[in-house]
Amino acid sequence: MKARFLTPVVTAFDEKGKLDIQANKNIYDHLIKGGVDGIVVMGSTGEFFNMPLEQQKELIDLAVGYINKRVKVYIGTSCMSVEDTIEMANYAHHAGADAVMIISPYYFSLSDESIEAFYDEVAAATEANIYLYNFPARSGYDLSPEIAFRLARKNKNIIGCKDTVVEMGHTRALISLMKSEFPEFDVLSGYDENFVHNVLCGGGGCIGGLSNLAPEIFAAWTKAVNEKDFDKMAEYQKVVDKMMKLYNIGTPFIPIIKKAMMIRGVDMQDYCTKPFLQANEKQVEEIKTVMREVNLL
């Protein structure tokens, strides 16, 4: 399996909170031209948690239709209820998405049994291929390798997992356990800097938000990995390590990434869902400092 780098794409809105259709198209073109392997619509970076279901459906139709199989399209269809999650997974599947990515309900910590029951019910009610999405910092609990393994055994349409954890030991354990019985199971890291480590452990690559800004860097990094060019791999690792500072400029980092994309020349605005605030002047200067360090300005 070749290593892949996928972009959890930002969602462009206008000043009234409606989808900015042309800006979203501009972003997709920017990513595809930059060479990413796939686009994940409505991941965490895409602000799915603040979007009404009808707006989500509008974005699904826009993304799948406009990208038009130029790259793989995965759709985040996570909702707080099982019923809404099933509805959105089926909508994305019938629209033509290659797979859906689902984080289990957040706010309350869930028992392992509850997590398993959630995914079992969703998987049984959709024909969509499913990527589990583990993000303990947001959900409040861990989707353990053992739960993922049991789910894959029972549900043939659960084909992968995005593991958004800092500890690569967790992802390594997940890869090792899954590959013992499911060699094609696709484990992707959720932090850009862990890409190479993921692949060296036998994983499929990464879904990393910084590729919104500079897709060509991540495409070149992926090429180096697949060609086993270790000098280039190390060179791009150092670039990405510097870019990781962007995540710490604002909370959440989404407005920061949008502003950085605008500075680079992507034709879009940096409006976000409320109550996220646009980057202030101090943050803009910090963004530019990081971009200068990696020759993006």
Side-chain angles (χ1 to χ4, degrees), residues 250-272:
T251 304
F253 68 91
I254 297 163
I256 304 301
I257 294 292
K258 288 184 179 181
K259 179 61 80 175
M261 291 168 73
M262 288 174 64
I263 293 168
R264 267 213 93 189
V266 181
D267 190 1
M268 59 181 286
Q269 296 298 315
D270 57 342
Y271 299 112
C272 292

Side-chain angles (χ1 to χ4, degrees), residues 24-297:
N24 282 299
K25 290 179 178 180
N26 296 341
I27 293 166
Y28 303 148
D29 286 338
H30 159 70
L31 296 175
I32 294 167
K33 183 182 175 187
V36 298
D37 296 299
I39 294 175
V40 182
V41 179
M42 292 189 297
S44 296
T45 312
E47 301 175 70
F48 75 90
F49 40 82
N50 277 345
M51 296 171 62
L53 294 188
E54 287 310 309
Q55 189 176 54
Q56 292 188 31
K57 290 176 180 177
E58 183 187 356
L59 185 58
I60 289 168
D61 291 336
L62 170 65
V64 175
Y66 186 72
I67 293 168
N68 194 26
K69 303 197 180 299
R70 288 181 284 166
V71 294
K72 295 280 189 186
V73 178
Y74 302 156
I75 307 286
T77 60
S78 309
C79 299
M80 289 291 277
S81 77
V82 173
E83 294 79 10
D84 286 347
T85 303
I86 291 168
E87 179 185 343
M88 294 308 298
N90 283 323
Y91 192 91
H93 178 66
H94 293 134
D98 293 287
V100 299
M101 186 177 78
I102 301 174
I103 193 168
S104 44
Y106 35 96
Y107 185 77
F108 272 111
S109 187
L110 296 180
S111 67
D112 289 357
E113 293 80 9
S114 292
I115 300 167
E116 208 169 326
F118 170 80
Y119 282 112
D120 278 337
E121 188 167 348
V122 172
T126 183
E127 293 178 1
N129 285 326
I130 296 171
Y131 278 75
L132 308 172
Y133 183 11
N134 183 41
F135 197 174
R138 296 292 169 267
S139 67
Y141 53 85
D142 182 47
L143 196 165
S144 70
E146 291 73 24
I147 296 173
F149 186 72
R150 291 197 298 270
L151 286 168
R153 271 189 161 172
K154 290 182 285 182
N155 304 285
K156 289 193 174 4
N157 56 336
I158 293 180
I159 63 165
C161 180
K162 179 185 181 186
D163 200 29
T164 305
V165 294
V166 175
E167 308 81 9
M168 267 306 297
H170 185 283
T171 309
R172 173 193 45 75
L174 173 62
I175 293 167
S176 178
L177 180 58
M178 297 308 302
K179 297 288 181 177
S180 66
E181 192 165 316
F182 306 102
E184 298 303 310
F185 194 87
D186 191 18
V187 178
L188 301 161
S189 285
Y191 287 116
D192 313 67
E193 63 187 334
N194 290 339
F195 171 53
V196 173
H197 198 157
N198 174 292
V199 175
L200 291 175
C201 289
C206 188
I207 303 176
L210 295 176
S211 56
N212 277 287
L213 174 59
E216 71 281 4
I217 288 176
F218 293 88
W221 198 19
T222 304
K223 183 171 183 280
V225 169
N226 285 321
E227 292 178 353
K228 298 181 171 56
D229 185 337
F230 291 100
D231 288 340
K232 281 283 184 192
M233 285 162 58
E235 180 185 321
Y236 283 113
Q237 181 75 52
K238 288 173 185 170
V239 171
V240 173
D241 288 349
K242 290 176 183 173
M243 288 178 69
M244 291 297 293
K245 297 175 195 169
L246 290 168
Y247 283 120
N248 300 320
I249 292 173
T251 304
F253 68 91
I254 297 163
I256 304 301
I257 294 292
K258 288 184 179 181
K259 179 61 80 175
M261 291 168 73
M262 288 174 64
I263 293 168
R264 267 213 93 189
V266 181
D267 190 1
M268 59 181 286
Q269 296 298 315
D270 57 342
Y271 299 112
C272 292
T273 55
K274 295 175 183 179
F276 296 172
L277 301 176
Q278 291 161 290
N280 59 39
E281 287 182 23
K282 179 176 179 289
Q283 290 171 328
V284 169
E285 287 310 309
E286 291 177 37
I287 292 167
K288 288 179 177 177
T289 298
V290 176
M291 290 175 69
R292 283 190 199 98
E293 278 187 53
V294 293
N295 298 315
L296 289 175
L297 194 62

